[in-house]
Amino acid sequence: MRVNGIKSICREIQLDFYNKLLTDFNPDLYKVKAIYGENGSGKTAIITAVNIVKKLMVNPGYLSQESTQSILNELINKKTKQFSIEIEFAWYGEQSLAVYRYAIVVSQKNNTYEIHRESLDVKKEYTRNKKYRNLFEIIDGKIVSIADDETDFGTIERETLNLL
């Protein structure tokens, strides 16, 4: 997970929650038990970042709500005026493991917060030398790239536009 621009975090921080090689991966060995650090080091900001991503993914129209805009105005770092979050997560399919990387940048524009950039990448059978393959990237509400095998362009467009 990488976070920037929330509360006291004005430079990107990276947290690693698991071993990068997922061969024989056992999630029980990698459960987060605590986040510790000095006052003002960003502990609450990390939890806030996870909560924001969760709400963006499960609540249609989350950013368009007046209460959300007000909350973001309090949470966004005043120097950066935007925040970025990148998360990696493993997904066990029927026969194989895939690692996804989701990235989002939310910026202040005309006194409201809007998604500036959003992307989703995938890597099958995670090893250090395998590269991510982009599934889609959206900049300022326009799809700028989509994987060749992602044939349902309309679905991606509908599902992402509700976030703007």
Side-chain angles (χ1 to χ4, degrees):
M1 179 172 146
R2 296 172 196 253
V3 179
N4 187 13
I6 294 181
K7 295 182 149 251
S8 62
I9 300 174
C10 57
R11 284 180 285 164
E12 183 178 271
I13 61 168
Q14 178 176 328
L15 298 140
D16 293 318
F17 295 103
Y18 63 91
N19 181 340
K20 293 292 184 184
L21 294 174
L22 292 178
T23 55
D24 300 323
F25 179 69
N26 181 350
D28 289 332
L29 299 177
Y30 293 97
K31 290 185 176 177
V32 176
K33 294 168 180 62
I35 298 174
Y36 65 93
E38 296 179 16
N39 289 344
S41 63
K43 299 178 300 291
T44 303
I46 292 164
I47 302 304
T48 300
V50 171
N51 194 35
I52 289 171
V53 168
K54 176 184 140 192
K55 288 180 179 180
L56 283 169
M57 290 180 160
V58 299
N59 295 344
Y62 173 69
L63 277 182
S64 63
Q65 298 171 4
E66 191 174 316
S67 60
T68 300
Q69 291 291 315
S70 191
I71 290 167
L72 289 177
N73 205 34
E74 296 297 318
L75 295 175
I76 302 298
N77 185 287
K78 302 306 180 222
K79 292 178 186 175
T80 62
K81 295 188 180 181
Q82 73 174 20
F83 72 85
S84 62
I85 302 169
E86 180 180 296
I87 57 172
E88 289 182 347
F89 56 94
W91 182 268
Y92 290 95
E94 292 178 14
Q95 297 177 358
S96 66
L97 169 72
V99 176
Y100 290 86
R101 179 175 58 198
Y102 176 73
I104 188 165
V105 177
V106 174
S107 304
Q108 187 179 33
K109 186 176 180 181
N110 300 327
N111 295 325
T112 61
Y113 292 94
E114 299 176 354
I115 296 173
H116 168 64
R117 180 181 172 275
E118 181 179 27
S119 65
L120 181 66
D121 305 312
V122 66
K123 188 188 304 192
K124 304 282 182 173
E125 299 172 14
Y126 199 90
T127 61
R128 288 192 194 276
N129 59 356
K130 296 235 180 188
K131 294 184 178 177
Y132 279 99
R133 183 175 63 87
N134 180 260
L135 295 177
F136 72 83
E137 181 175 13
I138 301 168
I139 298 178
D140 291 328
K142 294 184 174 71
I143 297 176
V144 294
S145 70
I146 191 164
D148 292 337
D149 60 342
E150 297 298 320
T151 56
D152 198 352
F153 181 90
T155 299
I156 290 175
E157 186 173 42
R158 278 191 309 279
E159 293 299 319
T160 57
L161 285 178
N162 71 0
L163 298 174
L164 299 175

